Coordinates of all heavy atoms in Angstrom, one line a residue:
A108 N -3.1 -13.9 -4.9 CA -3.9 -12.8 -5.4 C -2.9 -11.7 -5.8 O -2.0 -11.4 -5.0 CB -4.9 -12.3 -4.5
V109 N -3.0 -11.1 -7.0 CA -2.2 -10.0 -7.4 C -3.1 -8.7 -7.2 O -4.1 -8.6 -7.8 CB -1.7 -10.1 -8.8 CG1 -0.9 -8.9 -9.2 CG2 -1.0 -11.4 -9.0
V110 N -2.6 -7.8 -6.3 CA -3.4 -6.6 -6.1 C -2.6 -5.3 -6.1 O -1.3 -5.4 -5.9 CB -4.1 -6.7 -4.6 CG1 -4.9 -8.0 -4.5 CG2 -3.0 -6.7 -3.5
E111 N -3.3 -4.2 -6.3 CA -2.6 -2.9 -6.1 C -2.5 -2.5 -4.7 O -3.3 -3.0 -3.8 CB -3.3 -1.8 -7.0 CG -3.2 -2.0 -8.5 CD -3.8 -0.9 -9.2 OE1 -5.0 -0.5 -8.9 OE2 -3.2 -0.5 -10.2
A112 N -1.7 -1.6 -4.4 CA -1.4 -1.3 -2.9 C -2.6 -0.7 -2.3 O -2.7 -0.7 -1.0 CB -0.2 -0.4 -2.8
G113 N -3.4 0.0 -3.0 CA -4.5 0.7 -2.4 C -5.8 -0.1 -2.1 O -6.8 0.4 -1.7
V114 N -5.7 -1.4 -2.4 CA -6.9 -2.3 -2.1 C -7.1 -2.5 -0.6 O -6.2 -2.9 0.1 CB -6.6 -3.7 -2.7 CG1 -7.6 -4.7 -2.3 CG2 -6.6 -3.6 -4.2
P115 N -8.3 -2.2 -0.1 CA -8.6 -2.4 1.3 C -8.6 -3.9 1.6 O -8.9 -4.7 0.7 CB -10.0 -1.8 1.5 CG -10.1 -0.9 0.3 CD -9.4 -1.5 -0.8
L116 N -8.2 -4.2 2.8 CA -8.1 -5.7 3.2 C -9.4 -6.3 3.0 O -9.5 -7.5 2.5 CB -7.6 -5.8 4.6 CG -7.7 -7.2 5.2 CD1 -6.8 -8.2 4.5 CD2 -7.3 -7.1 6.7
E117 N -10.5 -5.7 3.4 CA -11.9 -6.2 3.3 C -12.2 -6.6 1.9 O -12.9 -7.6 1.6 CB -12.9 -5.3 4.0 CG -14.2 -6.0 4.1 CD -15.2 -5.1 5.0 OE1 -15.3 -3.9 4.7 OE2 -15.7 -5.6 6.0
A118 N -11.8 -5.7 0.9 CA -12.1 -6.0 -0.5 C -11.4 -7.3 -1.0 O -12.0 -8.1 -1.7 CB -11.7 -4.8 -1.3
L119 N -10.2 -7.5 -0.5 CA -9.5 -8.7 -0.9 C -10.1 -9.9 -0.2 O -10.3 -10.9 -0.9 CB -8.1 -8.6 -0.5 CG -7.2 -9.8 -0.8 CD1 -7.2 -10.3 -2.2 CD2 -5.7 -9.6 -0.4
Q120 N -10.5 -9.7 1.0 CA -11.2 -10.8 1.7 C -12.5 -11.3 1.0 O -12.7 -12.5 0.8 CB -11.5 -10.4 3.2 CG -10.3 -10.3 4.0 CD -10.7 -9.7 5.4 OE1 -11.6 -8.9 5.5 NE2 -10.0 -10.1 6.4
T121 N -13.3 -10.3 0.5 CA -14.5 -10.5 -0.1 C -14.2 -11.2 -1.5 O -14.9 -12.2 -1.8 CB -15.3 -9.2 -0.4 OG1 -15.6 -8.6 0.9 CG2 -16.6 -9.5 -1.1
A122 N -13.3 -10.8 -2.2 CA -13.0 -11.4 -3.5 C -12.4 -12.8 -3.4 O -12.8 -13.7 -4.2 CB -12.0 -10.5 -4.3
A123 N -11.6 -13.0 -2.4 CA -11.0 -14.3 -2.1 C -12.1 -15.3 -1.7 O -12.0 -16.5 -2.0 CB -9.9 -14.2 -1.2
L124 N -13.1 -14.9 -0.9 CA -14.1 -15.7 -0.4 C -14.9 -16.4 -1.4 O -15.4 -17.5 -1.2 CB -15.0 -14.9 0.6 CG -16.0 -15.7 1.4 CD1 -15.2 -16.7 2.3 CD2 -16.9 -14.8 2.3
V125 N -15.0 -15.8 -2.6 CA -15.7 -16.4 -3.7 C -15.1 -17.7 -4.1 O -15.7 -18.7 -4.5 CB -15.7 -15.5 -4.9 CG1 -16.2 -16.2 -6.2 CG2 -16.4 -14.2 -4.7
H126 N -13.8 -17.9 -3.8 CA -13.0 -19.1 -4.1 C -12.8 -19.9 -2.8 O -11.9 -20.8 -2.8 CB -11.7 -18.8 -4.8 CG -11.9 -17.9 -6.0 ND1 -12.2 -18.4 -7.2 CD2 -11.7 -16.5 -6.2 CE1 -12.3 -17.4 -8.1 NE2 -12.0 -16.3 -7.5
R127 N -13.5 -19.6 -1.8 CA -13.3 -20.2 -0.5 C -11.9 -20.1 0.1 O -11.3 -20.9 0.6 CB -13.7 -21.8 -0.5 CG -15.1 -22.0 -0.9 CD -16.0 -21.7 0.3 NE -15.7 -22.4 1.5 CZ -16.2 -22.1 2.7 NH1 -16.9 -21.0 2.9 NH2 -15.9 -22.9 3.8
L128 N -11.3 -18.9 -0.2 CA -10.0 -18.5 0.3 C -10.0 -17.3 1.1 O -11.0 -16.5 1.0 CB -9.1 -18.4 -1.0 CG -8.8 -19.6 -1.8 CD1 -8.1 -19.3 -3.1 CD2 -8.1 -20.7 -1.1
E129 N -8.9 -17.0 1.8 CA -8.8 -15.8 2.6 C -7.3 -15.4 2.6 O -6.5 -16.2 2.4 CB -9.4 -15.9 4.0 CG -8.6 -16.9 4.8 CD -9.3 -17.1 6.2 OE1 -10.4 -16.8 6.3 OE2 -8.6 -17.7 7.1
P130 N -7.0 -14.1 2.9 CA -5.6 -13.6 2.8 C -4.8 -14.1 4.0 O -3.6 -13.9 4.0 CB -5.8 -12.1 2.9 CG -7.2 -11.8 2.6 CD -8.0 -12.9 3.0
G131 N -5.4 -14.8 5.0 CA -4.6 -15.3 6.1 C -4.2 -14.2 7.1 O -3.3 -14.4 7.9
I132 N -4.9 -13.0 7.0 CA -4.6 -12.0 7.9 C -5.8 -11.1 8.1 O -6.6 -11.0 7.2 CB -3.4 -11.1 7.4 CG1 -2.9 -10.1 8.6 CG2 -3.8 -10.3 6.1 CD1 -1.5 -9.5 8.2
D133 N -6.1 -10.7 9.3 CA -7.3 -9.9 9.6 C -7.0 -9.0 10.7 O -6.2 -9.2 11.6 CB -8.5 -10.9 10.0 CG -9.8 -10.2 10.0 OD1 -9.9 -9.1 9.3 OD2 -10.7 -10.6 10.7
L134 N -7.7 -7.8 10.6 CA -7.5 -6.8 11.7 C -8.8 -5.9 11.7 O -9.6 -5.9 10.7 CB -6.3 -6.0 11.5 CG -5.8 -5.6 10.2 CD1 -6.5 -4.4 9.7 CD2 -4.3 -5.3 10.2
A135 N -9.0 -5.2 12.8 CA -10.2 -4.5 13.0 C -10.5 -3.4 11.9 O -11.6 -3.1 11.6 CB -10.3 -3.9 14.4
A136 N -9.4 -2.8 11.4 CA -9.5 -1.8 10.4 C -9.6 -2.3 9.0 O -9.3 -1.6 8.0 CB -8.3 -0.8 10.5
R137 N -10.1 -3.5 8.8 CA -10.1 -4.2 7.5 C -10.8 -3.3 6.4 O -10.5 -3.5 5.3 CB -10.7 -5.6 7.7 CG -12.2 -5.5 8.1 CD -12.7 -6.9 8.3 NE -12.2 -7.6 9.5 CZ -12.7 -7.4 10.7 NH1 -13.7 -6.5 10.9 NH2 -12.1 -8.0 11.7
G138 N -11.8 -2.6 6.8 CA -12.6 -1.9 5.8 C -11.8 -0.7 5.2 O -12.1 -0.2 4.2
S139 N -10.8 -0.2 6.0 CA -10.0 1.0 5.5 C -8.5 0.7 5.3 O -7.9 1.3 4.4 CB -10.1 2.1 6.6 OG -11.5 2.4 6.8
A140 N -8.0 -0.2 6.1 CA -6.5 -0.5 6.0 C -6.2 -1.1 4.6 O -7.0 -2.0 4.1 CB -6.1 -1.5 7.0
T141 N -5.2 -0.6 3.9 CA -4.9 -1.1 2.6 C -3.7 -2.1 2.6 O -2.9 -2.1 3.6 CB -4.5 0.1 1.7 OG1 -3.3 0.8 2.2 CG2 -5.6 1.1 1.6
I142 N -3.6 -2.9 1.6 CA -2.6 -3.9 1.5 C -1.2 -3.2 1.5 O -0.3 -3.7 2.2 CB -2.8 -4.8 0.3 CG1 -4.1 -5.5 0.3 CG2 -1.6 -5.7 0.1 CD1 -4.3 -6.4 1.5
G143 N -1.0 -2.1 0.8 CA 0.3 -1.5 0.8 C 0.7 -1.0 2.1 O 1.8 -1.1 2.6
G144 N -0.3 -0.4 2.9 CA 0.0 0.1 4.2 C 0.3 -1.0 5.2 O 1.2 -0.9 6.0
M145 N -0.4 -2.2 5.0 CA -0.2 -3.3 5.9 C 1.2 -3.9 5.6 O 1.9 -4.4 6.5 CB -1.3 -4.4 5.6 CG -2.6 -3.9 6.1 SD -4.0 -5.0 5.6 CE -3.4 -6.5 6.5
I146 N 1.6 -3.9 4.3 CA 3.0 -4.3 4.0 C 4.0 -3.4 4.6 O 5.0 -3.9 5.2 CB 3.2 -4.4 2.5 CG1 2.3 -5.6 1.9 CG2 4.6 -4.6 2.1 CD1 2.3 -5.5 0.3
S147 N 3.8 -2.1 4.5 CA 4.8 -1.1 4.9 C 4.9 -1.1 6.4 O 6.0 -0.7 7.0 CB 4.4 0.2 4.4 OG 4.5 0.3 3.0
T148 N 3.9 -1.6 7.1 CA 3.9 -1.6 8.6 C 4.1 -3.1 9.1 O 4.1 -3.3 10.3 CB 2.7 -1.0 9.2 OG1 1.5 -1.7 8.7 CG2 2.6 0.5 8.9
N149 N 4.2 -4.0 8.2 CA 4.3 -5.4 8.6 C 3.2 -5.8 9.6 O 3.5 -6.3 10.7 CB 5.7 -5.7 9.2 CG 5.9 -7.2 9.3 OD1 5.3 -8.0 8.6 ND2 6.8 -7.6 10.2
A150 N 2.0 -5.5 9.2 CA 0.8 -5.7 10.1 C 0.7 -7.2 10.5 O 1.1 -8.1 9.9 CB -0.5 -5.3 9.4
G151 N 0.2 -7.3 11.8 CA 0.0 -8.7 12.3 C -1.4 -9.1 12.4 O -1.9 -10.0 11.6
G152 N -2.2 -8.5 13.2 CA -3.7 -8.8 13.3 C -4.0 -10.0 14.1 O -3.1 -10.6 14.8
I153 N -5.2 -10.5 14.0 CA -5.7 -11.5 14.9 C -5.5 -12.9 14.4 O -6.0 -13.9 15.1 CB -7.3 -11.3 15.2 CG1 -8.0 -11.3 13.9 CG2 -7.4 -9.9 15.9 CD1 -9.5 -11.1 14.1
M154 N -4.9 -13.1 13.3 CA -4.6 -14.5 12.8 C -3.1 -14.8 12.7 O -2.7 -15.8 12.1 CB -5.3 -14.7 11.3 CG -6.8 -14.4 11.4 SD -7.4 -14.2 9.7 CE -7.4 -15.9 9.1
A155 N -2.3 -13.9 13.3 CA -0.9 -14.0 13.1 C -0.3 -15.3 13.6 O 0.7 -15.8 13.0 CB -0.2 -12.8 13.7
F156 N -0.8 -15.8 14.7 CA -0.2 -17.0 15.3 C -0.4 -18.2 14.4 O 0.3 -19.2 14.4 CB -0.7 -17.3 16.7 CG 0.0 -16.4 17.7 CD1 -0.7 -15.3 18.2 CD2 1.3 -16.6 18.1 CE1 -0.1 -14.5 19.2 CE2 1.9 -15.8 19.1 CZ 1.2 -14.7 19.6
R157 N -1.5 -18.1 13.6 CA -1.8 -19.3 12.7 C -1.1 -19.1 11.4 O -0.5 -20.1 10.8 CB -3.3 -19.4 12.5 CG -3.7 -20.6 11.7 CD -5.2 -20.6 11.5 NE -5.7 -21.7 10.7 CZ -5.9 -22.9 11.2 NH1 -5.8 -23.2 12.5 NH2 -6.4 -23.9 10.4
Y158 N -1.1 -17.9 10.8 CA -0.6 -17.8 9.4 C 0.5 -16.8 9.3 O 1.0 -16.6 8.2 CB -1.8 -17.2 8.6 CG -3.0 -18.1 8.4 CD1 -4.2 -17.8 8.7 CD2 -2.8 -19.4 7.9 CE1 -5.3 -18.6 8.6 CE2 -3.8 -20.3 7.7 CZ -5.1 -19.9 8.1 OH -6.2 -20.7 7.9
G159 N 1.0 -16.2 10.4 CA 2.1 -15.3 10.3 C 1.7 -13.8 10.1 O 0.5 -13.6 9.9
V160 N 2.6 -12.9 10.2 CA 2.4 -11.5 10.0 C 2.5 -11.2 8.5 O 2.7 -12.1 7.7 CB 3.3 -10.6 10.8 CG1 3.1 -10.9 12.3 CG2 4.8 -10.9 10.4
M161 N 2.3 -10.0 8.1 CA 2.3 -9.6 6.7 C 3.6 -10.1 6.0 O 3.5 -10.4 4.8 CB 2.1 -8.1 6.6 CG 1.5 -7.7 5.3 SD -0.2 -8.3 5.1 CE -0.6 -7.7 3.4
R162 N 4.7 -10.1 6.6 CA 5.9 -10.6 6.0 C 5.8 -12.0 5.5 O 6.5 -12.3 4.5 CB 7.1 -10.5 7.1 CG 8.4 -10.8 6.5 CD 9.5 -10.7 7.6 NE 9.5 -9.3 8.1 CZ 10.1 -8.3 7.5 NH1 10.7 -8.4 6.3 NH2 10.1 -7.1 8.0
H163 N 5.0 -12.8 6.1 CA 4.8 -14.2 5.7 C 3.7 -14.3 4.7 O 3.5 -15.5 4.2 CB 4.5 -15.0 6.9 CG 5.5 -14.9 8.1 ND1 5.3 -14.3 9.2 CD2 6.8 -15.3 8.1 CE1 6.3 -14.3 10.0 NE2 7.3 -14.8 9.3
R164 N 3.0 -13.3 4.4 CA 1.8 -13.4 3.5 C 2.2 -12.9 2.1 O 1.3 -13.0 1.2 CB 0.6 -12.5 4.0 CG 0.2 -12.7 5.5 CD -0.1 -14.2 5.8 NE -0.9 -14.8 4.8 CZ -0.9 -16.1 4.5 NH1 -0.1 -16.9 5.2 NH2 -1.7 -16.6 3.6
I165 N 3.3 -12.3 1.9 CA 3.7 -11.7 0.6 C 4.6 -12.6 -0.2 O 5.7 -13.0 0.3 CB 4.4 -10.3 0.8 CG1 3.4 -9.4 1.6 CG2 4.8 -9.7 -0.5 CD1 2.1 -9.2 0.9
L166 N 4.2 -13.0 -1.4 CA 5.0 -13.8 -2.3 C 5.9 -13.0 -3.2 O 7.0 -13.3 -3.5 CB 4.1 -14.7 -3.1 CG 3.3 -15.8 -2.4 CD1 2.3 -16.5 -3.3 CD2 4.3 -16.8 -1.7
G167 N 5.3 -11.9 -3.7 CA 6.0 -11.0 -4.6 C 5.6 -9.5 -4.4 O 4.6 -9.3 -3.7
L168 N 6.4 -8.6 -4.9 CA 6.1 -7.2 -4.6 C 6.7 -6.3 -5.7 O 7.6 -6.6 -6.3 CB 6.8 -6.9 -3.2 CG 6.6 -5.6 -2.6 CD1 6.5 -5.8 -1.1 CD2 7.7 -4.7 -2.9
E169 N 6.0 -5.2 -5.9 CA 6.5 -4.1 -6.7 C 6.5 -2.8 -5.9 O 5.6 -2.5 -5.2 CB 5.6 -4.0 -7.9 CG 5.9 -2.9 -8.9 CD 4.9 -2.8 -10.0 OE1 3.9 -2.1 -9.8 OE2 5.1 -3.4 -11.1
A170 N 7.6 -2.0 -6.2 CA 7.7 -0.8 -5.4 C 8.5 0.2 -6.3 O 9.3 -0.1 -7.1 CB 8.5 -1.0 -4.1
V171 N 8.2 1.5 -6.0 CA 8.9 2.6 -6.7 C 10.0 3.1 -5.7 O 9.7 3.5 -4.6 CB 8.0 3.8 -7.1 CG1 8.7 5.0 -7.6 CG2 6.9 3.3 -8.1
L172 N 11.2 3.1 -6.2 CA 12.4 3.5 -5.4 C 12.5 5.0 -5.3 O 11.8 5.8 -6.1 CB 13.6 2.9 -6.0 CG 13.6 1.4 -6.1 CD1 14.9 0.9 -6.7 CD2 13.3 0.7 -4.8
P173 N 13.3 5.6 -4.4 CA 13.3 7.0 -4.2 C 13.7 7.9 -5.4 O 13.4 9.1 -5.5 CB 14.4 7.2 -3.1 CG 14.3 5.9 -2.3 CD 14.0 4.9 -3.4
D174 N 14.4 7.3 -6.4 CA 14.8 8.0 -7.6 C 13.8 7.9 -8.7 O 13.9 8.5 -9.8 CB 16.2 7.6 -8.1 CG 16.2 6.2 -8.6 OD1 15.2 5.4 -8.3 OD2 17.2 5.7 -9.1
G175 N 12.7 7.2 -8.4 CA 11.6 7.0 -9.5 C 11.7 5.7 -10.2 O 10.9 5.4 -11.1
S176 N 12.8 4.9 -10.0 CA 12.9 3.7 -10.7 C 12.0 2.6 -10.1 O 11.5 2.9 -9.0 CB 14.4 3.2 -10.7 OG 14.8 3.0 -9.4
I177 N 11.7 1.6 -10.8 CA 10.7 0.6 -10.3 C 11.4 -0.8 -10.0 O 12.1 -1.3 -10.9 CB 9.6 0.4 -11.4 CG1 8.9 1.7 -11.6 CG2 8.6 -0.7 -10.9 CD1 7.9 1.7 -12.8

Side-chain angles (χ1 to χ4, degrees):
V109 181
V110 303
E111 290 184 317
V114 169
L116 172 60
E117 191 171 49
L119 177 56
Q120 290 173 327
T121 301
L124 189 59
V125 174
H126 306 282
R127 296 291 297 165
L128 297 169
E129 63 184 18
I132 192 165
D133 191 25
L134 37 82
R137 64 185 69 84
S139 302
T141 62
I142 298 300
M145 292 171 63
I146 291 171
S147 295
T148 56
N149 192 27
I153 60 177
M154 302 166 74
F156 282 105
R157 183 178 181 89
Y158 295 124
V160 297
M161 205 64 183
R162 185 176 302 281
H163 306 109
R164 309 306 314 154
I165 301 302
L166 296 173
L168 186 144
E169 180 183 83
V171 174
L172 304 182
D174 64 352
S176 59
I177 298 171

